[in-house]
Amino acid sequence: MTAQGILFDLDRTLVDLQSYTDYAAALRDLTALVGEQRRADVPDADWDAPTLSTMAILVALSGDGRWSTASQAVAKHERAAIPRSTSLPGLAALDQLPLGTPRAVVTLLPEDVAREALAHHGIHIDVSVGRDPRIPAKPSGEGLVVAARRLGVGVADCTMIGDSTWDHAAAVDAGAAFIGVPVTDSAFTPGVPVAGDRGAAIAAARR
């Protein structure tokens, strides 16, 4: 059955921003603001240690009054990486989707940073759900549920395409289908559906 909506992760799925973001500096800024915050209980991922620690701390800060300031401190580094970021191969398949196919991004980046990155690379997405104090971040599936609702489709009729264990965990939590586009051989455990590239993932989501 063709997916009624396609939900994409952004970083390392559509655009490589992570490789150009100084998450080591972001982690230092974050720690200076909130101290040695205990990391949330989140899945491991094939990210570098500063990126994983930064995201895990932001998840742990959910509901904390310091979250917005902490997120802004990290966003400064993410936004600075946009001019150097690169779009990823296979995205021409986006232009071949049938007219009106609902598509959204669900990302750990703030929504404004996500939109700037997408605009910089000329990628059209209908809805963006980003880092937001009102929406539990991945690996929670709540962002996917919100994105599907904004697209006007059921989340169970959506396919999530992403590069990491956090994306897979969010899809499972939300009840969406999932197709991985791994960056490394250790990205996913055996049994997780993966595609050879983004074009193949988009084609599979339409079946």
Side-chain angles (χ1 to χ4, degrees), residues 122-206:
I123 300 171
H124 168 71
I125 295 292
D126 299 313
V127 165
S128 296
V129 177
R131 202 160 71 219
D132 187 313
R134 300 161 297 182
I135 304 171
K138 293 182 287 187
S140 165
E142 187 60 30
L144 281 66
V145 173
V146 171
R149 185 186 307 128
R150 292 178 182 174
L151 289 173
V153 299
V155 71
D157 295 318
C158 291
T159 297
M160 175 73 181
I161 297 175
D163 70 282
S164 79
T165 53
W166 288 40
D167 299 317
H168 179 239
V172 170
D173 186 48
F178 179 77
I179 301 172
V181 282
V183 175
T184 68
D185 292 339
S186 61
F188 299 107
T189 56
V192 174
V194 298
D197 58 38
R198 285 143 197 86
I202 292 168
R206 293 179 55 201

